[in-house]
């Protein structure tokens, strides 16, 4: 086995609010292999963005605070690096795409300058070389007429085209790792599909490792090798996409999968929503954080938090944190 490209262990993040403090990520550990695409999924507030920002040294502190842990990226602990080294890694070896392209792009600089700038900084290219490369990148992400478009400003691009510009910026230096935080949620389904196809082909061409954050199981199915389901800052389930989709072991994963728009849904039928609200991290109940919303919860779930461990009878690496046996419960309920 080759060493993972990213290995996070016991990452803990806290937040202060109104004089109170909450460990919103109590201790997160996972690995991403080279070339793997990990899809991280979970409802709003599950800690998807906070953990990614903490990794990259971008967490707003205060109110946030990294409380401990390590994040080995290619042999360096991101959580222990000086800001200057982190800044050099971001944009060069680690690319990032965020949900809001408009906020990430500088409105007063041309798109060409914004794509060229990291190439000049990290790849020691001349202005001319970087501009030419920026044109190639726009073409690569499917923007036609690249030489004219380079001289335009972000507001002259549609939402889908701006996302493509963001992707071009993120991949400009051919990062080893790309972290994408819900970059397609604001887009309509057709454009979203195009962007996902584009990412899949770029991954092939550049051999990138990806962490793709989303609240949409459909997106995970389309892009990821491994799925990691998060709730209340912890991993509820994780494993190869086929194994988890075929036989989910966490009632939370099962609930998220029920919300997929299956062909069998009656015309006009509503999508399933998991009843109840995501937990208030400043007022977390004891035990399994999903238990209050879980109709399969046992008394033990309400008392004691389950550890993440190998799912019985499934493939190696299919992990679940649950005290109950979901397949058996679903078979009985049928
Ligand atoms: N500025 C803040 N102040 C206090 N708590 C915060 C702040 N930002 C995030 N949190 C806490 O961190 C938790 C995780 O938030 P995070 O943004 O990572 O969720 P997420 O999974 O990315 O959700 P979404 O799908 O909405 O993007 C939240 O439940 C919240 O309790
Ligand atoms: Mg988020």
């Amino acid at each position: 086995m080759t060493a993972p490209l990213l290995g996070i262990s016991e990452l803990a993040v806290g937040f202060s609010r109104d004089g109170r403090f909450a460990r919103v990520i109590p201790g997160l550990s996972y690995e991403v292999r080279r070339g793997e695409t990990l899809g991280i999924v979970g409802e709003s507030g599950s800690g998807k963005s906070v953990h990614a920002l903490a990794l990259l040294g971008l967490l707003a502190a205060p109110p946030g605070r990294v409380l401990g842990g390590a994040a080995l990226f290619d042999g360096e602990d991101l959580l222990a690096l000086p800001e200057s080294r982190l800044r050099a890694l971001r944009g060069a070896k680690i690319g990032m795409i965020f949900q809001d392209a408009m906020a990430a792009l500088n409105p007063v600089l041309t798109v060409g300058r914004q794509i060229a700038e990291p190439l000049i900084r990290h790849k020691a290219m001349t202005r001319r070389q970087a501009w030419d490369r920026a044109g190639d990148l726009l073409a690569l992400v499917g923007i036609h007429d690249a030489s004219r478009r380079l001289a335009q400003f972000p507001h002259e691009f549609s939402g889908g085209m701006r996302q493509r510009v963001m992707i071009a910026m993120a991949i400009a230096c051919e990062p080893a790792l790309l972290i994408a935080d819900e970059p397609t949620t604001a887009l309509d389904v057709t454009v979203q599909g195009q962007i996902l196809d584009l990412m899949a082909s770029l991954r092939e061409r550049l051999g990138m490792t990806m962490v793709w954050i989303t609240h949409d199981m459909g997106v995970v199915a389309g892009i990821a090798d491994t799925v990691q389901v998060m709730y209340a800052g912890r991993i509820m389930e994780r494993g190869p996409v086929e194994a988890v989709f075929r036989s989910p072991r966490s009632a939370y994963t099962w609930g998220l999968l029920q919300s997929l728009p299956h062909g069998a849904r009656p015309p006009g039928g509503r999508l399933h929503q998991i009843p109840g609200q995501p937990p208030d991290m400043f007022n977390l109940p004891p035990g399994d954080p999903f238990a209050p919303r879980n109709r399969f919860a046992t008394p033990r779930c309400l008392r004691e938090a389950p550890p993440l461990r190998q799912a019985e009878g499934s493939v190696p690496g299919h992990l679940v944190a649950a005290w109950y046996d979901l397949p058996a419960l679903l078979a009985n309920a049928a």
Side-chain angles (χ1 to χ4, degrees):
M1 283 277 279
T2 55
L5 181 63
L6 179 66
I8 299 170
S9 55
E10 293 299 324
L11 169 66
V13 181
F15 264 103
S16 315
R17 191 171 70 198
D18 306 330
R20 296 173 65 203
F21 183 78
R23 288 173 76 92
V24 300
I25 313 265
L28 184 69
S29 305
Y30 70 83
E31 291 184 346
V32 190
R33 297 187 314 275
R34 283 170 205 277
E36 179 180 17
T37 296
L38 171 67
I40 299 186
V41 70
E43 290 169 303
S44 197
S46 53
K48 305 183 300 293
S49 297
V50 161
H51 102 277
L53 292 171
L55 283 185
L56 299 169
L58 296 173
L59 189 71
R65 184 147 57 96
V66 176
L67 303 169
L72 282 185
F73 168 75
D74 210 10
E76 288 179 283
D77 182 1
L78 298 176
L79 301 182
L81 290 177
E83 175 56 29
S84 56
R85 177 67 188 144
L86 265 182
R87 211 175 310 129
L89 284 177
R90 291 195 302 257
K93 283 185 158 192
I94 305 178
M96 297 163 294
I97 318 176
F98 294 108
Q99 180 170 353
D100 187 354
M102 207 54 200
L105 294 170
N106 187 330
V108 301
L109 294 182
T110 63
V111 153
R113 259 193 77 180
Q114 295 186 63
I115 303 176
E117 197 265 341
L119 292 167
I120 296 166
R121 182 148 43 109
H122 297 301
K123 296 281 174 183
M125 287 190 186
T126 64
R127 294 208 165 274
R128 181 77 248 163
Q129 289 168 329
W131 192 266
D132 289 346
R133 177 81 184 121
D136 296 344
L137 284 159
L138 279 195
L140 186 67
V141 298
I143 296 181
H144 304 298
D145 199 7
S147 53
R148 188 176 61 85
R149 295 295 243 162
L150 282 177
Q152 293 184 326
F153 293 91
H155 73 266
E156 298 176 79
F157 289 73
S158 69
M161 288 295 146
R162 278 199 290 269
Q163 286 296 353
R164 288 170 191 254
V165 171
M166 278 252 286
I167 294 170
M169 280 170 69
I171 63 172
C173 298
E174 305 196 350
L177 175 67
L178 185 72
I179 299 183
D181 190 355
E182 313 228 35
T184 62
T185 34
L187 307 175
D188 71 54
V189 192
T190 316
V191 180
Q192 176 169 314
Q194 290 168 359
I195 302 257
L196 293 178
D197 289 347
L198 168 68
M199 291 316 301
S201 72
L202 289 175
R203 176 175 70 146
E204 293 296 309
R205 281 169 75 163
L206 305 175
M208 276 183 314
T209 305
M210 293 206 300
V211 175
W212 196 278
I213 295 173
T214 175
H215 60 254
D216 186 339
M217 276 290 196
V219 168
V220 168
I223 201 159
D225 306 306
T226 305
V227 57
Q228 178 165 302
V229 180
M230 287 183 62
Y231 191 80
R234 40 205 103 189
I235 299 172
M236 304 299 276
E237 182 160 11
R238 174 190 157 99
V241 166
E242 317 79 66
V244 174
F245 276 54
R246 186 183 340 108
S247 178
R249 302 306 176 97
S250 160
Y252 182 58
T253 312
W254 182 75
L256 292 176
L257 286 170
Q258 297 298 302
S259 67
L260 277 180
H262 293 294
R265 196 155 56 98
R270 302 241 329 261
L271 279 181
H272 172 91
Q273 288 275 351
I274 301 175
Q277 294 296 318
D280 172 6
M281 294 306 290
F282 288 81
N283 218 340
L284 203 62
D288 179 337
F290 185 61
R293 299 170 71 188
N294 180 8
R295 62 180 163 115
F296 300 115
T298 65
R300 189 177 190 185
C301 300
L302 295 164
R303 281 197 317 268
E304 207 182 323
L308 188 66
R309 56 186 175 187
Q310 172 65 38
E312 261 174 60
S314 190
V315 297
H318 184 177
L319 310 176
V320 66
W323 292 125
Y324 47 85
D325 179 356
L326 187 68
L329 290 165
L330 290 174
N332 286 341

